[in-house]
Amino acid sequence: MKFLSKLIYVLGAKVRNPSLFPIYNQLKQTEFASLEELEAIQLNRLKALLKEAYTYSPFYKQLFDEHSIDVNITSLNDLSTFPTISKVDLIQHNDTIHSTQTFAKKLLAETSGTSGEALAFYRNEEWDSTNRAGVMRCYDWYNVKPWDKNGYFWGYNIDPNEAKKVKLLDRLQNRIRIFRYDDKSITNFAKELNSAKFLSGYSSMIYQIAKKVNQLNLKISGIKMVKGTSEMILDAYQPEVKQAFGCKMISEYGAAESGLIAFECPEGNMHINMENVYVEIDENKEIIVTNLVSRSFPIIRYRLGDIVSLADEQCKCGRKHTIVKEIYGRKGASIVGKTKDYPALTFYYVFKNIALKNDVLINYKAEQYRKGEVLLKVEGKPNTEWEQLIDKEMSKYFGEELSYSIQYTNKFESQLKKQQYFESFIK
Ligand SMILES: [Zn+2]
């Protein structure tokens, strides 16, 4: 079975992504390269990308001309003088961003944003393959191959016709997924997971299933990697996930436009996929990504909208790829106090502190409907110890500026979109 699924994968790749394995082999060669070597690769690729974008993308030609930009850079730092772009640009100028060059093969990519704005664009085959190869290299860190049997925690409540199509695709990819969330379905799914090697999907959904698996006292073994994507992984998820699946949830960070940005290594550090993306962090901690292989639809200094910090340390795993220290989530609306505003990230720190100082993990969501007031939704049963800890941290950060109320909830609804841990409903 293992041989067959590998064969299907390799044959599929030959047709769809002919350069996948050559690019993968190339990436394996620089897996332990020095930081200088990696930056040299980045500079070479960046130089080529900028020239190509200026020549073949009408949008970038106009943008760079307007800013009197010389695309002949000599160092990575030179890029900081270039203008940034956002998702709105990718949607509004979609036609003129696309390169006028012809590519042997292009693949359509589609994404829907948090507020529904859809984006579609073409990736040249090498770009698509580079992304897959990058992910495949990271799976190696966990002794997992993309064709290994895996469980997928994604869409649910799919209509029956849709489910048939999905099931066929899943079978081709050696993937099993759960369609219903009642105890019986989860018990059956858990049985099937015993022959799977890895799990992936929305982190909040993996967490909900993990809790159910623990409640039902189901035994699952043989899982080597649990990968959460698309949402923040809260510390509160980890104990349940570890108990249920035998390993903690690791994070993959990226987006369709940017490609794979970073992946967590077994030492717990998220390494940037440096050969393929160039990452900058601006003064507001917002990430700016350049996809170094995005020839058909250049992504240059793209504001993804996430708040991120980098670490300046060496990882024990031996890889020199720069480490993403923390992803704080989406750049959100401000928290509105009685007389001043606070960054949306503040709640993240409130609960992070409680976790670090007291070893108390609280699953939360903050919502604001009125100036100077906030509603903290907390998962679990009423707990006075938690309330004392929350009160201490809240007053430390907000003083008299923000009053709050706590609402306990049995469990959060899983959301099929990037979750925000602070949401403002103030118009
Ligand atoms: Zn590492």
Side-chain angles (χ1 to χ4, degrees):
M1 189 57 209
K2 165 133 193 183
F3 171 75
L4 187 64
S5 48
K6 181 178 178 181
L7 187 69
I8 291 171
Y9 188 90
V10 172
L11 290 177
K14 274 220 158 46
V15 177
R16 191 180 195 271
N17 294 90
S19 49
L20 174 66
F21 285 98
I23 291 173
Y24 166 76
N25 290 333
Q26 206 185 336
L27 281 175
K28 290 298 275 185
Q29 279 167 22
T30 53
E31 187 166 2
F32 291 94
S34 69
L35 195 59
E36 291 72 25
E37 285 172 274
L38 292 168
E39 285 176 347
I41 293 171
Q42 288 186 311
L43 181 58
N44 270 332
R45 292 193 166 178
L46 188 57
K47 281 179 175 172
L49 178 72
L50 294 175
K51 273 187 211 153
E52 222 181 296
Y54 187 70
T55 314
Y56 297 108
S57 163
F59 169 80
Y60 283 105
K61 164 130 182 54
Q62 193 187 346
L63 184 71
F64 293 165
D65 282 344
E66 274 168 14
H67 288 80
S68 310
I69 293 283
D70 177 5
V71 292
N72 296 295
I73 57 163
T74 54
S75 77
L76 288 170
N77 280 335
D78 291 348
L79 191 66
S80 63
T81 60
F82 284 57
T84 60
I85 58 162
S86 66
K87 186 145 190 183
V88 175
D89 294 309
L90 299 187
I91 293 168
Q92 280 180 358
H93 306 287
N94 195 283
D95 275 354
T96 54
I97 292 175
H98 274 100
S99 169
T100 55
Q101 288 186 96
T102 37
F103 294 90
K105 192 170 183 189
K106 288 190 292 190
L107 299 129
L108 182 67
E110 282 171 292
T111 83
S112 58
T114 38
S115 38
E117 349 80 303
L119 164 68
F121 59 95
Y122 284 99
R123 291 190 189 118
N124 50 297
E125 185 267 322
E126 293 84 358
W127 172 1
D128 192 76
S129 293
T130 296
N131 210 36
R132 289 164 190 271
V135 171
M136 195 162 31
R137 176 171 73 172
C138 299
Y139 281 18
D140 284 345
W141 304 348
Y142 297 91
N143 294 313
V144 162
K145 290 291 183 189
W147 51 83
D148 285 335
K149 185 168 177 185
N150 63 95
Y152 197 51
F153 297 71
W154 217 255
Y156 59 109
N157 294 338
I158 303 173
D159 82 77
N161 285 327
E162 195 67 18
K164 246 184 223 156
K165 229 185 337 180
V166 166
K167 272 180 186 155
L168 177 70
L169 278 174
D170 280 348
R171 205 165 311 143
L172 283 173
Q173 295 178 70
N174 207 8
R175 187 154 79 184
I176 51 171
R177 86 170 81 194
I178 188 162
F179 288 96
R180 295 162 58 87
Y181 289 82
D182 53 278
D183 289 2
K184 191 169 159 251
S185 302
I186 290 173
T187 306
N188 287 335
F189 189 62
K191 249 181 237 157
E192 265 205 274
L193 283 181
N194 277 308
S195 53
K197 286 271 158 51
F198 69 95
L199 312 176
S200 66
Y202 280 88
S203 54
S204 60
M205 200 168 295
I206 291 176
Y207 167 65
Q208 298 301 350
I209 299 285
K211 275 207 308 191
K212 257 295 192 248
V213 164
N214 295 333
Q215 273 165 22
L216 298 169
N217 207 14
L218 303 169
K219 296 275 173 287
I220 298 172
S221 61
I223 302 292
K224 294 174 174 177
M225 178 178 82
V226 179
K227 181 184 85 171
T229 50
S230 299
E231 295 173 328
M232 278 174 84
I233 298 173
L234 293 185
D235 295 330
Y237 295 168
Q238 297 292 11
E240 295 279 356
V241 171
K242 247 187 239 173
Q243 193 192 331
F245 305 120
C247 40
K248 70 173 268 213
M249 186 164 12
I250 57 145
S251 59
E252 177 186 82
Y253 177 49
E257 315 88 284
S258 65
L260 172 69
I261 297 172
F263 202 97
E264 185 174 334
C265 80
E267 295 292 338
N269 287 317
M270 294 194 71
H271 291 283
I272 294 179
N273 176 22
M274 286 180 71
E275 292 93 332
N276 306 318
V277 294
Y278 179 65
V279 167
E280 300 166 84
I281 308 290
D282 77 0
E283 64 279 6
N284 300 316
K285 285 193 177 176
E286 198 186 326
I287 188 170
I288 301 169
V289 195
T290 299
N291 184 319
L292 300 169
V293 294
S294 58
R295 295 175 60 206
S296 54
F297 187 71
I299 302 289
I300 299 169
R301 300 207 82 213
Y302 177 59
R303 289 188 183 274
L304 199 52
D306 288 332
I307 305 295
V308 165
S309 67
L310 302 183
D312 188 19
E313 39 189 81
Q314 297 282 327
C315 184
K316 284 195 207 119
C317 79
R319 292 174 189 87
K320 302 295 187 295
H321 298 69
T322 309
I323 295 167
V324 170
K325 191 172 174 196
E326 239 161 330
I327 301 164
Y328 305 95
R330 306 294 291 179
K331 182 182 74 176
S334 299
I335 304 160
V336 185
K338 293 192 176 87
T339 64
K340 59 178 181 172
D341 290 356
Y342 297 83
L345 285 179
T346 314
F347 290 114
Y348 173 84
Y349 290 112
V350 165
F351 287 92
K352 186 91 187 165
N353 283 345
I354 293 173
L356 288 178
K357 287 187 209 155
N358 311 287
D359 221 17
V360 169
L361 301 172
I362 300 172
N363 203 358
Y364 72 94
K365 188 168 181 190
E367 293 176 0
Q368 184 163 35
Y369 296 90
R370 263 193 297 271
K371 183 181 174 176
E373 285 173 35
V374 73
L375 173 67
L376 298 176
K377 289 185 171 172
V378 167
E379 194 181 63
K381 299 216 160 57
N383 184 318
T384 46
E385 188 206 338
W386 288 7
E387 284 172 26
Q388 282 164 6
L389 296 172
I390 290 171
D391 197 59
K392 203 170 133 202
E393 291 296 328
M394 285 293 286
S395 56
K396 197 173 103 192
Y397 280 96
F398 299 106
E400 299 293 311
E401 280 287 320
L402 196 69
S403 64
Y404 68 93
S405 52
I406 295 179
Q407 187 188 88
Y408 289 94
T409 155
N410 207 4
K411 89 178 180 84
F412 288 125
E413 290 298 319
S414 293
Q415 290 178 359
L416 291 173
K417 57 176 191 179
K418 254 187 186 166
Q419 248 177 358
Q420 298 184 356
Y421 294 93
F422 168 65
E423 213 170 343
S424 178
F425 297 91
I426 294 179
K427 286 278 174 328

